[in-house]
Structures are given as C-alpha cells and as structure tokens.
Amino acid sequence: MGTEITGAEIVVQSLIDLGVEVVFGYPGGAVLPIYDALFQQNRIRHILVRHEQAAVHAAEGYARASGKVGVVLVTSGPGATNAVTGITDALMDSIPLVVLTGQVPTHLIGTDAFQECDTVGITRHCSKHNYLVKETAKLGPVLHEAFYIARSGRPGPVVIDIPKDVQIMKARYAKPGAITHKTYKPQVKGDLAAIEAAVDMLAAAERPILYTGGGIINSGPIASQLLRELAKVTGAPVTSTLMGLGSFGHEHPQFLGMLGMHGSYEANMAMNRCDLMVCLGARFDDRVTGRLDAFSPHSRKIHVDIDRSSFNKTVRVDLTIQGDVGSVMEDMLKVWRARGHRAADQKAWWAQIEGWRARNSFGFEQKGDSLLPQKAIQRLYEMTKAKKPIISTEVGQHQMWAAQHFGFHDPNKWLTSGGLGTMGYGLPAAIGAQLAFPGALVIDIAGEASIQMNIQELGTAVQYRLPVKIFIINNEYMGMVRQWQELNHGSRYSESYSDSLPDFVKLAEAYGWKGIVIEGPDDLDAGIQAMLDHPGPVVVDCRVAKLANCFPMIPSGAAHTDMILSAADERGEADDDAKALV
C-alpha cells in the first residue's frame, strides 16, 4: 500500500493519476495545504484567476474545447459561494467538472466558524453530485469516483468539499483500478428494438427533420461524423440548438441553421410542419419549443438521450431511446443499411423548405455610417474562418448574432452559456480554451455590459501570456434587456442603458493588452486585421448601431409560426404575406 502521505498530497497525486494537466483556482486558508502540495510538484499547472466564478467558467471553457474534465480549486466560505454560478452554469449545459472546495476543520463544522458555509447543502441542487470528505483515507477513492461521475452519462459538475484537517492528516493512497459506481451505471447502448422502430419511422417519413443538441458535442467528435452520415442516408434536414452548433457543417445544404427563439425561419417552420421529428441529444428547452401546445403539433416524435429524466418532461414523444447519442446513431446506420432502406420521396418537403429559406431571415442591409452588429460579426467570421477559431461569447444580443452570423463547421469550437445565460462567461471560457489549445485563435465575442462582469480576468491572460482576443459589440445598452423593454414594456428603458462606460482601449492598455477602436463600417476590416496581426491579447471596441434589434424572434410564450422577422414586422408594417407565417 506504500507509505502514508497527507490528504493534500493524496489530492494532488490523485489528480496526476487521473491525467489532470491544468487546475483553475484561487487560494485561501482552508485549501493552503493543497496549494502547498501543488507547489512541490511540476506535473500539474495551476492557473491563478482573479475571481472564483471565473475559475469555474475557465474550467468549463477548457473542458468544452478539449473534451477533458475541467478542475477547479477554491477555498471555503466565499470561495465556494463565488463558484456557485459557474457550477450551476456547468450543470445546465452538461459540462464535466470536478470542483474542489476547502472547508473548515471537521470539529468546527456547524459552529459558524470563520469562512464556513454549508457547501454541500448549497451545491446539492446545482451539481450532478457532491461529497463532504471527513476521512483522509477516503480522499483518493472519492476523487477517482468523482471524475467517473463527472464525465460519464450526461456530463456535469461534481463538488468535493474537503475540511482542512482532512488535508493535513495522513493516510495511505494507492491508484485504484477501473472505476465503477454501485448504483450509477449510465446506459450507453440503446435498445435495439427501439432503434429498429426509429429507423423504420425515418425511412417512411416524407417530411422528417433531425433536431440536434449539445448531447452530440458531448458524445465526442465521432458523433458529429455519424450525424453527417445519418443526414446523408436519410436525406433529412438538420437543425441545431444553440448548444449543438458545430456538430453539423454550417454551409451544408441540409443544414437549416439554429432553431428556437432567435433561430432561422426555415428551421422553425420545418419543425412546425414536419411529420417526423428525431431529437438527438437535446432536451426540448423552452427557448426552442416556444408555446408547447403549438410546438410541432402534427409530427411523430423520437427522443434519443442518455438521460432518461429528459424523456417526456416537457414534450410528449412517441418513442424514446436511452443511450449515448453517438452509439445510438451508429446502430441506426447499421440497421438502415442492413434493412436496405432508402429515404422516402422528400421533393415536396425540400421545395417547401427552400421557399422558407428564400425569406433570408438572417438577412440585413448595411448602409450609412452606423455599423450594424450583424455586419461586424459576419466580417469577423469571413476574415477568420480559415483559421478555424474557437469562439466564446458573453450573453445577450451579441451572443445571438454570433450564433446566427458566425459559421461553425466543427464541434468544440463554440463555447457559450446556454441554459443559465451567464453574463461574464465568455472571457474566462476563452482563457480556458486558449490553455487547452495554445496555438489556436480564440475570440470572445462580447457585449460592453457582459464583458465587465469578469473584466478582472484580463490580468489572468497577461500573467500566462495567453493571446486571447475580445471583440466587443458595443451598443451602449444591455441590448437584449433593452429589446425586451421595447417589445413588452412600452420602450421604457429602465436601467438598461450602459452609462459611464470605461474607455476600453485605455482599460486594455492598463492590463497590458492592445486596444483597438472600430468607429464604423469603414474601419471594420482594418480593425479586425489589426487584431489578428497582433501576437498578444487584444480588446476591440467595435461601436455599432445602438438600437439594432436581434431578429428573427419568437416572442416569449408564442408559437414558432408567430415569428417576428424584422423591425418592420415588429412595428406592424410588414405586408400580409410576411405576417401570415402559416
């Protein structure tokens, strides 16, 4: 069994044995023994963030870009509570993390000791699983089990709360063998009879659609290849949730774009009119479905997901298949070929789709001196796509414009906060992705309000010489808040104006970044090129039209067929055909 070592040393050795290369964290009294153990080794790189929320978002970005488990280390009390937003974000978006939190010594738990909080209680409902480890000998097994739970099944964050005395006391540690859990054994292979039924339904469908989500990204790159193969043999159109972008080629003729509240007209109309919907690794989020009683009312529905709790939770379906979506698609393709299936005649279906696509719902017209945000993002995409950049975003209008106008051709290149919608996500996520891929072009598309939520992480990028680029879509408003106030609250812009903004160029320079201003359309290409030419970190302050709104849009609680396609539509000025979307 070997000699006894401290609990802190067990933590570090376990991380090494688990293949961890990077830990994101911030020290404090309750985790100093672990930090001391980290100091005395050179296998794991520690990244010192400036705020614990940013540590978790950086670990999310690292995990999403690399496919590995992200690791966080924070202290007790405020260190743990500051991490809660990131932990919740990871739970909502199914990101595999292990978050190590310090805790006061075991004999002080429950006494309101300095920097004590009930971390297990606080994180119980925002983590996939959590532990309070009270015995040093259990640290190794718990850490290895935590990684197994975090990355298996539907991925998610696992929290391990470690009292300070447990870190100091000694115990023996031995690297365990293959990890299993006595009760948690996710079903990876789908039921063959259900898969055969699904394939037969697909072969018979005249108006099918493949509705794809973040589960395909989580399943790994092979799943994206299988999706493309499934689309090819079935001839079905493909649409994606916000979290699934990149699993299917942006420019592929069968791709209808993102669906949902700010999705394309053709994607939403096809979802409404299909006769068979195959949901692959998505969960029927409210931003996708709109009004439930009007969501794809005449279709049969198949739902493939590794998490059985997602089945029939919001939308009733005709057939469920529990399993890893990559494994299920592989079996679907085998059954399709074994049965000699050929796709049904979909000519009329595709003719209808092309009619919807001709509406060009993401279209815009750049004219005058005021730069449209859509144009800014479109040019950013066109000037960087050859480099296959990794894109993160903050949350708001700029996030939706990025989803609409920046094309994604591969998985793990699109990092955004979907389920929780966390402002401040993008910069630390970009830092995490840059650490995973030091030679990649990593760009955070931000808003001038969101970027300030974790602006302190400019210092982290400088410390570790990370050439992250921040492209701020600056309209001087909390844009999505303002848009909703315009639509639903009589244009009463209560506290949505971003007053007293910093000079972003001077702020960038104060941290050692390069700052660039884009004032209008004539500066756009030169500004983007200057950003790309600079070898270090860059902040671009791209000043855009202040009152531009993000369209198309399905108003909250409305049906897919009630899309607002443009500002004219919003004002009731569209022609009858534009308003009659059914």
Side-chain angles (χ1 to χ4, degrees):
M1 292 290 290
T3 59
E4 291 188 337
I5 58 176
T6 67
E9 291 169 329
I10 290 174
V11 169
V12 172
Q13 188 59 50
S14 295
L15 295 178
I16 292 171
D17 289 344
L18 286 158
V20 173
E21 298 173 343
V22 180
V23 171
F24 301 88
Y26 200 95
V31 284
L32 287 184
I34 298 175
Y35 271 90
D36 191 54
L38 282 170
F39 185 82
Q40 299 181 63
Q41 58 82 49
N42 57 10
R43 300 277 296 277
I44 297 172
R45 187 181 187 190
H46 181 275
I47 303 300
L48 177 65
V49 296
R50 274 52 178 171
H51 192 283
E52 291 90 351
Q53 178 187 346
V56 187
H57 292 326
E60 286 185 273
Y62 178 87
R64 292 175 72 169
S66 68
K68 301 175 182 178
V69 176
V71 181
V72 178
L73 175 60
V74 298
T75 194
S76 64
T81 58
N82 282 346
V84 166
T85 296
I87 294 168
T88 309
D89 189 274
L91 181 71
M92 294 284 279
D93 288 346
S94 304
I95 310 303
L97 301 181
V98 171
V99 181
L100 308 174
T101 61
Q103 185 54 274
V104 300
T106 52
H107 68 278
L108 291 178
I109 291 176
T111 67
D112 294 329
F114 177 67
Q115 291 194 331
E116 180 193 0
C117 72
D118 180 7
T119 301
V120 169
I122 290 170
T123 61
R124 179 169 290 118
H125 299 291
C126 65
S127 62
K128 185 176 178 182
H129 192 56
N130 63 15
Y131 301 85
L132 172 60
V133 184
K134 293 185 176 182
E135 297 177 38
T136 303
K138 292 183 177 179
L139 274 172
V142 164
L143 272 153
H144 284 264
E145 184 177 274
F147 274 72
Y148 166 78
I149 292 172
R151 64 187 165 209
S152 61
R154 179 178 176 179
V158 177
V159 176
I160 307 176
D161 200 33
I162 311 174
K164 190 170 183 178
D165 56 330
V166 173
Q167 301 169 39
I168 295 170
M169 291 186 291
K170 291 185 175 183
R172 289 183 173 86
Y173 166 76
K175 180 181 178 180
I179 296 296
T180 59
H181 192 277
K182 60 183 178 181
T183 57
Y184 182 61
K185 297 178 180 179
Q187 182 175 323
V188 175
K189 294 288 289 183
D191 178 73
L192 183 58
I195 289 171
E196 290 173 340
V199 168
D200 290 343
M201 291 165 70
L202 250 177
E206 296 179 353
R207 302 189 310 278
I209 190 167
L210 303 180
Y211 156 35
T212 64
I216 293 179
I217 307 289
N218 287 338
S219 182
I222 298 298
S224 293
Q225 297 173 24
L226 292 167
L227 171 62
R228 296 168 198 220
E229 198 172 343
L230 185 64
K232 182 179 180 180
V233 300
T234 63
V238 178
T239 184
S240 171
T241 66
L242 180 73
M243 300 304 296
L245 292 175
S247 61
F248 198 79
H250 168 74
E251 295 175 351
H252 195 287
Q254 285 175 255
F255 188 54
L256 307 186
M258 181 178 71
L259 81 159
M261 180 170 283
H262 292 287
S264 73
Y265 181 58
E266 55 267 30
N268 283 321
M269 290 303 293
M271 285 288 280
N272 183 264
R273 297 297 183 82
C274 67
D275 64 0
L276 178 68
M277 175 201 305
V278 183
C279 176
L280 299 166
R283 57 185 177 87
F284 295 98
D285 179 78
D286 63 289
R287 286 298 194 262
V288 165
T289 63
R291 199 177 81 229
L292 282 173
D293 63 358
F295 176 67
S296 197
H298 306 299
S299 69
R300 299 177 75 189
K301 300 174 181 67
I302 300 169
H303 190 181
V304 180
D305 204 291
I306 201 163
D307 181 6
R308 67 181 181 184
S309 71
S310 293
F311 295 146
N312 297 310
K313 183 166 63 176
T314 55
V315 172
R316 301 294 299 180
V317 301
D318 300 279
L319 178 65
T320 63
I321 305 174
Q322 184 183 0
D324 176 81
V325 69
S327 173
V328 171
M329 286 192 293
E330 183 177 21
D331 287 343
M332 288 176 72
L333 286 163
K334 289 177 181 177
V335 171
W336 182 280
R337 293 183 178 118
R339 297 194 169 192
H341 278 312
R342 298 185 65 180
D345 184 359
Q346 298 174 23
K347 290 180 182 177
W349 179 225
W350 274 104
Q352 192 171 27
I353 289 171
E354 292 304 326
W356 294 325
R357 187 179 266 164
R359 296 292 294 272
N360 191 24
S361 60
F362 289 163
F364 60 89
E365 185 179 3
Q366 173 65 58
K367 55 185 178 181
D369 296 332
S370 187
L371 175 61
L372 290 179
Q374 300 95 319
K375 180 67 175 179
I377 292 173
Q378 182 191 72
R379 286 301 295 154
L380 181 67
Y381 167 61
E382 291 169 349
M383 293 181 68
T384 61
K385 64 180 179 180
K387 299 179 181 291
K388 297 185 176 180
I390 298 172
I391 301 296
S392 70
T393 75
E394 309 294 335
V395 169
Q397 284 179 320
H398 64 275
Q399 176 191 28
M400 295 298 106
W401 282 316
Q404 292 173 344
H405 298 284
F406 204 102
F408 299 95
H409 304 273
D410 300 296
N412 307 106
K413 302 288 188 180
W414 167 246
L415 318 176
T416 197
S417 175
L420 196 62
T422 307
M423 294 173 72
Y425 169 89
L427 173 54
I431 287 171
Q434 192 78 78
L435 282 157
F437 295 99
L441 173 61
V442 181
I443 305 171
D444 173 27
I445 298 176
E448 83 292 330
S450 279
I451 191 61
Q452 295 186 81
M453 289 284 188
N454 273 313
I455 196 73
Q456 75 283 341
E457 299 310 314
L458 293 175
T460 302
V462 170
Q463 179 176 347
Y464 298 101
R465 299 176 181 173
L466 303 173
V468 172
K469 318 299 183 189
I470 301 174
F471 195 81
I472 300 173
I473 301 296
N474 185 351
N475 58 11
E476 299 184 8
Y477 277 98
M478 297 176 215
M480 194 62 82
V481 173
R482 182 203 57 74
Q483 179 169 335
W484 280 60
Q485 287 173 333
E486 179 180 311
L487 292 173
N488 300 324
H489 300 282
S491 296
R492 293 181 293 277
Y493 301 141
S494 176
E495 304 301 328
S496 56
Y497 181 66
S498 298
D499 201 1
S500 302
L501 287 172
D503 181 326
F504 284 109
V505 170
K506 290 182 178 177
L507 182 60
E509 292 172 348
Y511 273 97
W513 290 50
K514 180 178 177 61
I516 297 171
V517 174
I518 295 174
E519 296 278 6
D522 294 341
D523 302 335
L524 182 58
D525 283 15
I528 294 172
Q529 192 60 53
M531 177 191 79
L532 297 175
D533 289 343
H534 186 70
V538 181
V539 173
V540 177
D541 181 4
C542 184
R543 299 177 182 177
V544 300
K546 295 181 181 180
L547 299 180
N549 281 341
C550 185
F551 295 115
M553 179 181 181
I554 302 173
S556 181
H560 282 177
T561 51
D562 295 327
M563 293 185 77
I564 300 173
L565 294 183
S566 66
D569 209 12
E570 173 193 357
R571 294 190 298 268
E573 297 174 3
D575 58 33
D576 290 340
D577 180 63
K579 288 187 288 185
L581 303 182
V582 294

